[in-house]
Amino acid sequence: ERRGRRLPALALLAVIALWALFGSFYLNEAAERSVITRFGKYIKTTTGGFNMRLPWPIDQRTVVNVTEFLSFQHPTSMLTQDEALVVIDLAVQYRRADPVKFAFNVREPEETLGEVSESAIREIVGQSKLDFVLEAGRQEIGAKTKDLVQRTITAYNTGIEVISVNLQGVSVPEQVAP
């Protein structure tokens, strides 16, 4: 009868040992950082290589690639300083530079970047004349927009670094071209 009780206890111990063993070790690639939380509270950030943590649900791991360049494009219409309507195809390149800020400070950091980028381009184009936007000013507008976006998302502590902001296309709608 004792032997019958020992078997389930040993099986339970084996399951717990396997859970702890396989849930504790993980491998980060060179470009990855893992943000480790214990019961939802930040504990540490680990770098590339083999690492260890307490198994789930005690510790949780959020993986952030800090070297990958990401981008998005966003077409939008806006008015220039001389009240002309322009359509701009904005392209933003960025990377997740600070994994802790990226994981914790803003709920949707990439969505926030998109909204900040649109607001910034509207502000810069709204201070520029149509001829400047269509011709020689594209590079300057991109540089000013990048600076404004970076300052804003840095103030929000998103952990994102803006690499470049480019105006892929700038045009005037056919209805207002004359």
Side-chain angles (χ1 to χ4, degrees), residues 122-162:
R122 285 182 183 282
E123 180 176 335
I124 302 299
V125 168
Q127 297 171 356
S128 305
K129 299 224 180 252
L130 178 63
D131 291 340
F132 184 71
V133 173
L134 290 174
E135 296 168 6
R138 289 170 72 163
Q139 295 264 357
E140 186 178 330
I141 290 171
K144 285 181 177 179
T145 303
K146 176 188 178 285
D147 291 341
L148 182 56
V149 170
Q150 186 63 63
R151 280 197 317 267
T152 306
I153 64 171
T154 298
Y156 290 170
N157 283 319
T158 60
I160 293 176
E161 176 189 358
V162 177

Side-chain angles (χ1 to χ4, degrees), residues 78-87 125 128-131 134 172-173 176:
M78 62 195 73
L79 291 175
T80 62
Q81 183 181 24
D82 47 359
E83 297 181 10
L85 183 66
V86 292
V87 177
V125 168
S128 305
K129 299 224 180 252
L130 178 63
D131 291 340
L134 290 174
V172 178
V176 295

Side-chain angles (χ1 to χ4, degrees), residues 11 19 22-23 25-26 38 61 67 82 93 95 107 111 113 126-127 136-137 146 151 153 158 162 174:
W19 167 72
F22 289 111
F25 296 99
Y26 61 94
R38 183 163 296 146
R61 172 180 168 232
T67 61
D82 47 359
Q93 276 195 321
R95 74 181 185 93
R107 182 169 299 193
E111 187 176 312
L113 174 63
Q127 297 171 356
K146 176 188 178 285
R151 280 197 317 267
I153 64 171
T158 60
V162 177
E174 288 181 33

Side-chain angles (χ1 to χ4, degrees), residues 13 16 20 22 25 41 44 46 99-100 103 109 121 127-128 169 176:
L13 283 175
I16 290 172
F22 289 111
F25 296 99
K41 183 179 177 188
K44 64 182 175 179
T46 59
V100 176
I121 191 68
Q127 297 171 356
S128 305
V176 295

